[in-house]
Amino acid sequence: MGFLIRMAFWFSLVLLALPLNVGSDETGHQSVGPIQALFAAREAVGDIAGICERKPDVCETGKSAMHTITARAKETAKIAAAMLDDKAAEPDTATTTGSVPEDFVLPAKVELPAKN
């Protein structure tokens, strides 16, 4: 989820940096240039970083949530690894392929006529 948020953020910055001359929209807002968008993004990141000073309970809840998510991810990875190990230990007998039947015996040596 965090990857998607970061990707959307950087993609929006790329869109703002493209030199498209769109002017203002119908509500009267001016278009934002790439430098203005970069400064606004820096201020937003600084504001998010300062939230722990203003509201310490939000940071504590976030830390607890990240700890819970990390613990659940580790347990899920252990369960997945155990399931994969169980599957790898047993041969797959349910799948049949177009192999040669067991009663068909090939000769040990094949004599091919020589070309002149």
Side-chain angles (χ1 to χ4, degrees):
M1 184 66 173
F3 171 74
L4 292 176
I5 293 172
R6 284 191 302 255
M7 187 178 69
F9 171 75
W10 287 110
F11 184 66
S12 64
L13 282 182
V14 167
L15 287 178
L16 287 172
L18 290 175
L20 300 174
N21 190 9
V22 293
S24 62
D25 58 5
E26 62 273 354
T27 60
H29 294 118
Q30 291 294 323
S31 63
V32 177
I35 302 298
Q36 292 170 326
L38 182 64
F39 285 135
R42 283 184 62 190
E43 288 180 25
V45 169
D47 186 47
I48 291 171
I51 198 168
C52 289
E53 296 170 0
R54 290 189 310 257
K55 297 188 179 229
D57 58 330
V58 171
C59 284
E60 288 299 319
T61 305
K63 287 178 186 176
S64 297
M66 288 305 294
H67 177 70
T68 303
I69 291 169
T70 303
R72 288 184 182 177
K74 286 180 183 178
E75 288 300 316
T76 304
K78 287 179 185 177
I79 292 170
M83 289 176 67
L84 289 174
D85 286 343
D86 289 345
K87 292 284 184 180
E90 301 171 2
D92 184 17
T93 57
T95 306
T96 58
T97 61
S99 60
V100 177
E102 291 180 17
D103 59 343
F104 187 78
V105 179
L106 294 175
K109 186 175 180 183
V110 178
E111 297 289 331
L112 296 175
K115 291 185 179 181
N116 290 334

